[in-house]
Amino acid sequence: MNGGDCRGGGAEAPGAERTARGLRTRSSGPIGGAAAICLCLATTGALAADGGFYVGLGGGLVFAEDSDITAQPSETYPSPFDGTGTYDRGTAFAGALGYRFADGLRVEAELSYREHDFDEIAVKEPGSLAELLPPELRQDPAALESLKGTHPADGGVSSVTLMVNLFQDFDLGLGLKPYLGGGIGLSRVSMRASSGGRRTTDDDDTVFAYQLGAGLGYEIGGADDRPIVVSLDFRHFATADPTFRGAVTGTPFDAEVGGNYLGIGLRIGF
């Protein structure tokens, strides 16, 4: 390699190339060649220093969207169930293992947990909810009509989600690093619900999930190749509609799951 061109794992900076060429011109011996090689390796290491692995932690609030809940009619319950559930504010926590590239691109695997409780449910068509009535009233039009309207609901929805995310950081200087991106994966969604002290739903389903995200990071310390970044994070999260079975009748029904998340994150390079 004495006196030859240096071609490492990264692109060589023009200044380093001119300096190395000058060293080879002034000294064609082993010392000059070794100096050129060392300079090239140092330059390559500096260019690659911005990349590396990191771990991430985060937590915050979930603002669940209203959920349309529907069930098809059956022989026992010839009318469908149609209702809309609303939720209280919930919480979410996440952990991630990722790799950041020198150009600001990040890819990561994220495991998260979300939960939010029911607030109330607005029933348009009672369907299999007729099972909650005394047997002699389950075909009574007036009794069925009484099941319509808005009712308090107990229980809630939780999910455990594994995603692969892709984010792009934009370095604005002064440590500020806004980002955009999203992810896809699978979510295990659980619904627990009760009405009048009677369990109506206790089931789980695994469905496709996705999220779109943005945030603002601020580098608070660490080395160039091991930065520590705190961030304000926003996510819009949704899944394909999971299918659950009612605990009383076994009737399958679909429920929308989605909402927004606002929280704080921490990324630590290593």
Side-chain angles (χ1 to χ4, degrees):
M1 295 180 62
N2 184 21
D5 289 340
C6 174
R7 307 191 187 276
E12 183 175 334
E17 183 180 0
R18 289 194 297 271
T19 304
R21 203 162 43 231
L23 285 170
R24 290 195 297 269
T25 301
R26 289 192 295 272
S27 175
S28 59
I31 296 178
I37 293 169
C38 291
L39 179 59
C40 176
L41 291 176
T43 304
T44 302
L47 290 172
D50 289 336
F53 289 95
Y54 66 89
V55 293
L57 297 171
L61 299 177
V62 172
F63 303 88
E65 297 174 338
D66 293 352
S67 174
D68 289 337
I69 303 172
T70 58
Q72 297 300 316
S74 64
E75 291 184 8
T76 307
Y77 303 100
S79 67
F81 175 84
D82 185 8
T84 300
T86 59
Y87 301 91
D88 295 328
R89 187 170 54 212
T91 56
F93 304 94
L97 174 64
Y99 186 85
R100 66 189 182 284
F101 297 90
D103 61 359
L105 188 67
R106 291 188 284 116
V107 60
E108 65 179 31
E110 177 193 73
L111 182 65
S112 64
Y113 175 78
R114 295 172 174 83
E115 65 175 3
H116 41 270
D117 292 336
F118 281 113
D119 178 22
E120 57 188 19
I121 185 167
V123 178
K124 305 181 187 72
E125 293 293 339
S128 58
L129 278 186
E131 188 72 20
L132 299 177
L133 296 171
E136 65 274 14
L137 296 178
R138 290 174 187 171
Q139 303 298 326
D140 186 309
L144 291 173
E145 190 69 23
S146 69
L147 293 175
K148 296 181 182 180
T150 300
H151 309 279
D154 296 322
V157 174
S158 63
S159 62
V160 177
T161 306
L162 180 62
M163 280 194 175
V164 176
N165 298 322
L166 193 65
F167 295 113
Q168 177 67 54
D169 291 324
F170 303 94
D171 193 345
L172 302 183
L174 301 177
L176 294 175
K177 296 182 178 181
Y179 69 87
L180 293 170
I184 58 174
L186 293 175
S187 185
R188 183 70 173 175
V189 185
S190 303
M191 179 180 285
R192 309 286 183 263
S194 300
S195 179
R198 189 175 183 184
R199 178 73 72 180
T200 56
T201 305
D202 189 350
D203 201 12
D204 313 90
D205 194 16
T206 300
V207 291
F208 171 79
Y210 73 90
Q211 65 179 358
L212 300 174
L216 178 62
Y218 180 70
E219 190 170 321
I220 60 172
D224 289 340
D225 58 344
R226 293 185 297 276
I228 300 173
V229 178
V230 295
S231 59
L232 179 64
D233 306 313
F234 170 82
R235 301 283 187 272
H236 175 73
F237 171 86
T239 76
D241 292 350
T243 298
F244 306 110
R245 287 192 174 273
V248 177
T249 66
T251 304
F253 65 92
D254 297 330
E256 292 180 331
V257 175
N260 298 315
Y261 162 88
L262 185 63
I264 296 175
L266 175 67
R267 300 196 304 272
I268 304 172
F270 66 93

PDB file of all heavy atoms in Angstrom, residues 188-211:
ATOM      1  N   ARG A 188     -51.557  -6.696  19.283  1.00  0.00           N
ATOM      2  CA  ARG A 188     -52.462  -7.579  20.013  1.00  0.00           C
ATOM      3  C   ARG A 188     -53.407  -6.693  20.806  1.00  0.00           C
ATOM      4  O   ARG A 188     -53.020  -6.079  21.808  1.00  0.00           O
ATOM      5  CB  ARG A 188     -51.677  -8.504  20.934  1.00  0.00           C
ATOM      6  CG  ARG A 188     -52.538  -9.531  21.693  1.00  0.00           C
ATOM      7  CD  ARG A 188     -53.087 -10.572  20.759  1.00  0.00           C
ATOM      8  NE  ARG A 188     -53.787 -11.653  21.474  1.00  0.00           N
ATOM      9  CZ  ARG A 188     -54.439 -12.640  20.858  1.00  0.00           C
ATOM     10  NH1 ARG A 188     -54.466 -12.693  19.536  1.00  0.00           N
ATOM     11  NH2 ARG A 188     -55.044 -13.575  21.554  1.00  0.00           N
ATOM     12  N   VAL A 189     -54.659  -6.608  20.357  1.00  0.00           N
ATOM     13  CA  VAL A 189     -55.636  -5.693  20.941  1.00  0.00           C
ATOM     14  C   VAL A 189     -56.587  -6.473  21.839  1.00  0.00           C
ATOM     15  O   VAL A 189     -57.112  -7.525  21.445  1.00  0.00           O
ATOM     16  CB  VAL A 189     -56.429  -4.964  19.838  1.00  0.00           C
ATOM     17  CG1 VAL A 189     -57.365  -3.931  20.467  1.00  0.00           C
ATOM     18  CG2 VAL A 189     -55.487  -4.291  18.850  1.00  0.00           C
ATOM     19  N   SER A 190     -56.821  -5.959  23.038  1.00  0.00           N
ATOM     20  CA  SER A 190     -57.714  -6.589  24.015  1.00  0.00           C
ATOM     21  C   SER A 190     -58.836  -5.623  24.369  1.00  0.00           C
ATOM     22  O   SER A 190     -58.604  -4.434  24.563  1.00  0.00           O
ATOM     23  CB  SER A 190     -56.955  -6.960  25.286  1.00  0.00           C
ATOM     24  OG  SER A 190     -55.868  -7.815  25.004  1.00  0.00           O
ATOM     25  N   MET A 191     -60.043  -6.173  24.455  1.00  0.00           N
ATOM     26  CA  MET A 191     -61.188  -5.372  24.892  1.00  0.00           C
ATOM     27  C   MET A 191     -61.857  -6.058  26.073  1.00  0.00           C
ATOM     28  O   MET A 191     -62.135  -7.263  26.026  1.00  0.00           O
ATOM     29  CB  MET A 191     -62.208  -5.172  23.761  1.00  0.00           C
ATOM     30  CG  MET A 191     -63.428  -4.354  24.202  1.00  0.00           C
ATOM     31  SD  MET A 191     -64.670  -4.086  22.893  1.00  0.00           S
ATOM     32  CE  MET A 191     -63.831  -2.836  21.908  1.00  0.00           C
ATOM     33  N   ARG A 192     -62.087  -5.282  27.130  1.00  0.00           N
ATOM     34  CA  ARG A 192     -62.816  -5.738  28.310  1.00  0.00           C
ATOM     35  C   ARG A 192     -63.952  -4.746  28.547  1.00  0.00           C
ATOM     36  O   ARG A 192     -63.712  -3.548  28.678  1.00  0.00           O
ATOM     37  CB  ARG A 192     -61.897  -5.789  29.542  1.00  0.00           C
ATOM     38  CG  ARG A 192     -60.604  -6.548  29.327  1.00  0.00           C
ATOM     39  CD  ARG A 192     -60.829  -8.047  29.277  1.00  0.00           C
ATOM     40  NE  ARG A 192     -59.570  -8.776  29.133  1.00  0.00           N
ATOM     41  CZ  ARG A 192     -59.087  -9.204  27.985  1.00  0.00           C
ATOM     42  NH1 ARG A 192     -59.746  -8.957  26.856  1.00  0.00           N
ATOM     43  NH2 ARG A 192     -57.951  -9.869  27.922  1.00  0.00           N
ATOM     44  N   ALA A 193     -65.188  -5.253  28.594  1.00  0.00           N
ATOM     45  CA  ALA A 193     -66.331  -4.354  28.760  1.00  0.00           C
ATOM     46  C   ALA A 193     -67.388  -5.008  29.623  1.00  0.00           C
ATOM     47  O   ALA A 193     -67.575  -6.233  29.597  1.00  0.00           O
ATOM     48  CB  ALA A 193     -66.912  -3.968  27.400  1.00  0.00           C
ATOM     49  N   SER A 194     -68.110  -4.164  30.394  1.00  0.00           N
ATOM     50  CA  SER A 194     -69.207  -4.630  31.243  1.00  0.00           C
ATOM     51  C   SER A 194     -70.368  -3.652  31.126  1.00  0.00           C
ATOM     52  O   SER A 194     -70.179  -2.456  30.840  1.00  0.00           O
ATOM     53  CB  SER A 194     -68.774  -4.707  32.717  1.00  0.00           C
ATOM     54  OG  SER A 194     -67.690  -5.590  32.874  1.00  0.00           O
ATOM     55  N   SER A 195     -71.562  -4.165  31.348  1.00  0.00           N
ATOM     56  CA  SER A 195     -72.753  -3.328  31.353  1.00  0.00           C
ATOM     57  C   SER A 195     -73.683  -3.822  32.447  1.00  0.00           C
ATOM     58  O   SER A 195     -74.019  -5.016  32.484  1.00  0.00           O
ATOM     59  CB  SER A 195     -73.460  -3.391  29.991  1.00  0.00           C
ATOM     60  OG  SER A 195     -74.623  -2.605  29.992  1.00  0.00           O
ATOM     61  N   GLY A 196     -74.054  -2.923  33.341  1.00  0.00           N
ATOM     62  CA  GLY A 196     -74.927  -3.298  34.442  1.00  0.00           C
ATOM     63  C   GLY A 196     -74.328  -4.361  35.332  1.00  0.00           C
ATOM     64  O   GLY A 196     -75.049  -5.191  35.884  1.00  0.00           O
ATOM     65  N   GLY A 197     -72.989  -4.341  35.474  1.00  0.00           N
ATOM     66  CA  GLY A 197     -72.312  -5.314  36.308  1.00  0.00           C
ATOM     67  C   GLY A 197     -72.122  -6.669  35.654  1.00  0.00           C
ATOM     68  O   GLY A 197     -71.616  -7.602  36.290  1.00  0.00           O
ATOM     69  N   ARG A 198     -72.517  -6.803  34.392  1.00  0.00           N
ATOM     70  CA  ARG A 198     -72.394  -8.072  33.677  1.00  0.00           C
ATOM     71  C   ARG A 198     -71.347  -7.950  32.579  1.00  0.00           C
ATOM     72  O   ARG A 198     -71.375  -6.995  31.789  1.00  0.00           O
ATOM     73  CB  ARG A 198     -73.742  -8.450  33.068  1.00  0.00           C
ATOM     74  CG  ARG A 198     -73.781  -9.859  32.485  1.00  0.00           C
ATOM     75  CD  ARG A 198     -75.190 -10.175  32.019  1.00  0.00           C
ATOM     76  NE  ARG A 198     -75.286 -11.536  31.517  1.00  0.00           N
ATOM     77  CZ  ARG A 198     -76.386 -12.054  30.976  1.00  0.00           C
ATOM     78  NH1 ARG A 198     -77.489 -11.316  30.891  1.00  0.00           N
ATOM     79  NH2 ARG A 198     -76.400 -13.303  30.540  1.00  0.00           N
ATOM     80  N   ARG A 199     -70.416  -8.892  32.542  1.00  0.00           N
ATOM     81  CA  ARG A 199     -69.357  -8.868  31.531  1.00  0.00           C
ATOM     82  C   ARG A 199     -69.948  -9.099  30.148  1.00  0.00           C
ATOM     83  O   ARG A 199     -70.633 -10.097  29.914  1.00  0.00           O
ATOM     84  CB  ARG A 199     -68.326  -9.944  31.837  1.00  0.00           C
ATOM     85  CG  ARG A 199     -67.194 -10.040  30.820  1.00  0.00           C
ATOM     86  CD  ARG A 199     -66.211  -8.909  30.919  1.00  0.00           C
ATOM     87  NE  ARG A 199     -65.385  -9.015  32.112  1.00  0.00           N
ATOM     88  CZ  ARG A 199     -64.433  -8.137  32.426  1.00  0.00           C
ATOM     89  NH1 ARG A 199     -64.216  -7.099  31.650  1.00  0.00           N
ATOM     90  NH2 ARG A 199     -63.733  -8.290  33.526  1.00  0.00           N
ATOM     91  N   THR A 200     -69.699  -8.155  29.232  1.00  0.00           N
ATOM     92  CA  THR A 200     -70.231  -8.278  27.874  1.00  0.00           C
ATOM     93  C   THR A 200     -69.146  -8.624  26.856  1.00  0.00           C
ATOM     94  O   THR A 200     -69.461  -9.204  25.806  1.00  0.00           O
ATOM     95  CB  THR A 200     -70.920  -6.971  27.444  1.00  0.00           C
ATOM     96  OG1 THR A 200     -69.997  -5.888  27.565  1.00  0.00           O
ATOM     97  CG2 THR A 200     -72.140  -6.701  28.311  1.00  0.00           C
ATOM     98  N   THR A 201     -67.888  -8.255  27.139  1.00  0.00           N
ATOM     99  CA  THR A 201     -66.788  -8.554  26.214  1.00  0.00           C
ATOM    100  C   THR A 201     -65.526  -8.834  27.005  1.00  0.00           C
ATOM    101  O   THR A 201     -65.199  -8.108  27.951  1.00  0.00           O
ATOM    102  CB  THR A 201     -66.521  -7.378  25.255  1.00  0.00           C
ATOM    103  OG1 THR A 201     -67.716  -7.027  24.576  1.00  0.00           O
ATOM    104  CG2 THR A 201     -65.452  -7.751  24.235  1.00  0.00           C
ATOM    105  N   ASP A 202     -64.813  -9.888  26.615  1.00  0.00           N
ATOM    106  CA  ASP A 202     -63.515 -10.212  27.211  1.00  0.00           C
ATOM    107  C   ASP A 202     -62.753 -11.038  26.176  1.00  0.00           C
ATOM    108  O   ASP A 202     -62.762 -12.265  26.210  1.00  0.00           O
ATOM    109  CB  ASP A 202     -63.702 -10.998  28.512  1.00  0.00           C
ATOM    110  CG  ASP A 202     -62.393 -11.173  29.267  1.00  0.00           C
ATOM    111  OD1 ASP A 202     -61.327 -10.856  28.704  1.00  0.00           O
ATOM    112  OD2 ASP A 202     -62.428 -11.630  30.422  1.00  0.00           O
ATOM    113  N   ASP A 203     -62.111 -10.341  25.220  1.00  0.00           N
ATOM    114  CA  ASP A 203     -61.513 -11.049  24.091  1.00  0.00           C
ATOM    115  C   ASP A 203     -60.323 -10.269  23.536  1.00  0.00           C
ATOM    116  O   ASP A 203     -60.123  -9.089  23.869  1.00  0.00           O
ATOM    117  CB  ASP A 203     -62.567 -11.256  22.998  1.00  0.00           C
ATOM    118  CG  ASP A 203     -62.214 -12.384  22.040  1.00  0.00           C
ATOM    119  OD1 ASP A 203     -61.280 -13.149  22.342  1.00  0.00           O
ATOM    120  OD2 ASP A 203     -62.867 -12.489  20.986  1.00  0.00           O
ATOM    121  N   ASP A 204     -59.529 -10.956  22.680  1.00  0.00           N
ATOM    122  CA  ASP A 204     -58.321 -10.384  22.083  1.00  0.00           C
ATOM    123  C   ASP A 204     -58.284 -10.729  20.597  1.00  0.00           C
ATOM    124  O   ASP A 204     -58.857 -11.712  20.164  1.00  0.00           O
ATOM    125  CB  ASP A 204     -57.043 -10.942  22.733  1.00  0.00           C
ATOM    126  CG  ASP A 204     -57.105 -10.939  24.249  1.00  0.00           C
ATOM    127  OD1 ASP A 204     -57.563 -11.941  24.808  1.00  0.00           O
ATOM    128  OD2 ASP A 204     -56.711  -9.928  24.835  1.00  0.00           O
ATOM    129  N   ASP A 205     -57.551  -9.905  19.850  1.00  0.00           N
ATOM    130  CA  ASP A 205     -57.316 -10.199  18.438  1.00  0.00           C
ATOM    131  C   ASP A 205     -55.999  -9.551  18.020  1.00  0.00           C
ATOM    132  O   ASP A 205     -55.622  -8.497  18.549  1.00  0.00           O
ATOM    133  CB  ASP A 205     -58.466  -9.668  17.579  1.00  0.00           C
ATOM    134  CG  ASP A 205     -58.447 -10.227  16.163  1.00  0.00           C
ATOM    135  OD1 ASP A 205     -57.742 -11.238  15.934  1.00  0.00           O
ATOM    136  OD2 ASP A 205     -59.133  -9.657  15.289  1.00  0.00           O
ATOM    137  N   THR A 206     -55.288 -10.204  17.090  1.00  0.00           N
ATOM    138  CA  THR A 206     -54.027  -9.673  16.562  1.00  0.00           C
ATOM    139  C   THR A 206     -54.265  -9.170  15.152  1.00  0.00           C
ATOM    140  O   THR A 206     -54.758  -9.910  14.291  1.00  0.00           O
ATOM    141  CB  THR A 206     -52.934 -10.754  16.556  1.00  0.00           C
ATOM    142  OG1 THR A 206     -52.723 -11.213  17.899  1.00  0.00           O
ATOM    143  CG2 THR A 206     -51.628 -10.200  16.020  1.00  0.00           C
ATOM    144  N   VAL A 207     -53.909  -7.910  14.904  1.00  0.00           N
ATOM    145  CA  VAL A 207     -54.208  -7.265  13.625  1.00  0.00           C
ATOM    146  C   VAL A 207     -53.027  -6.425  13.166  1.00  0.00           C
ATOM    147  O   VAL A 207     -52.112  -6.107  13.936  1.00  0.00           O
ATOM    148  CB  VAL A 207     -55.462  -6.366  13.736  1.00  0.00           C
ATOM    149  CG1 VAL A 207     -56.718  -7.193  13.922  1.00  0.00           C
ATOM    150  CG2 VAL A 207     -55.317  -5.361  14.875  1.00  0.00           C
ATOM    151  N   PHE A 208     -53.054  -6.059  11.892  1.00  0.00           N
ATOM    152  CA  PHE A 208     -52.062  -5.138  11.322  1.00  0.00           C
ATOM    153  C   PHE A 208     -52.200  -3.760  11.962  1.00  0.00           C
ATOM    154  O   PHE A 208     -53.306  -3.304  12.256  1.00  0.00           O
ATOM    155  CB  PHE A 208     -52.276  -5.037   9.812  1.00  0.00           C
ATOM    156  CG  PHE A 208     -51.462  -3.966   9.145  1.00  0.00           C
ATOM    157  CD1 PHE A 208     -50.119  -4.172   8.847  1.00  0.00           C
ATOM    158  CD2 PHE A 208     -52.043  -2.742   8.826  1.00  0.00           C
ATOM    159  CE1 PHE A 208     -49.375  -3.178   8.241  1.00  0.00           C
ATOM    160  CE2 PHE A 208     -51.298  -1.744   8.208  1.00  0.00           C
ATOM    161  CZ  PHE A 208     -49.962  -1.964   7.923  1.00  0.00           C
ATOM    162  N   ALA A 209     -51.066  -3.092  12.177  1.00  0.00           N
ATOM    163  CA  ALA A 209     -51.077  -1.756  12.775  1.00  0.00           C
ATOM    164  C   ALA A 209     -50.087  -0.856  12.055  1.00  0.00           C
ATOM    165  O   ALA A 209     -49.111  -1.326  11.454  1.00  0.00           O
ATOM    166  CB  ALA A 209     -50.725  -1.834  14.262  1.00  0.00           C
ATOM    167  N   TYR A 210     -50.342   0.433  12.112  1.00  0.00           N
ATOM    168  CA  TYR A 210     -49.406   1.398  11.529  1.00  0.00           C
ATOM    169  C   TYR A 210     -49.426   2.679  12.356  1.00  0.00           C
ATOM    170  O   TYR A 210     -50.354   2.923  13.135  1.00  0.00           O
ATOM    171  CB  TYR A 210     -49.763   1.704  10.065  1.00  0.00           C
ATOM    172  CG  TYR A 210     -50.992   2.574   9.896  1.00  0.00           C
ATOM    173  CD1 TYR A 210     -50.882   3.959   9.844  1.00  0.00           C
ATOM    174  CD2 TYR A 210     -52.262   2.006   9.804  1.00  0.00           C
ATOM    175  CE1 TYR A 210     -52.005   4.762   9.699  1.00  0.00           C
ATOM    176  CE2 TYR A 210     -53.384   2.794   9.655  1.00  0.00           C
ATOM    177  CZ  TYR A 210     -53.251   4.178   9.594  1.00  0.00           C
ATOM    178  OH  TYR A 210     -54.362   4.968   9.465  1.00  0.00           O
ATOM    179  N   GLN A 211     -48.399   3.490  12.165  1.00  0.00           N
ATOM    180  CA  GLN A 211     -48.362   4.796  12.801  1.00  0.00           C
ATOM    181  C   GLN A 211     -47.604   5.788  11.930  1.00  0.00           C
ATOM    182  O   GLN A 211     -46.708   5.413  11.154  1.00  0.00           O
ATOM    183  CB  GLN A 211     -47.729   4.728  14.197  1.00  0.00           C
ATOM    184  CG  GLN A 211     -46.270   4.345  14.226  1.00  0.00           C
ATOM    185  CD  GLN A 211     -45.728   4.321  15.656  1.00  0.00           C
ATOM    186  OE1 GLN A 211     -46.422   4.623  16.628  1.00  0.00           O
ATOM    187  NE2 GLN A 211     -44.464   3.951  15.800  1.00  0.00           N
TER     188      GLN A 211
END
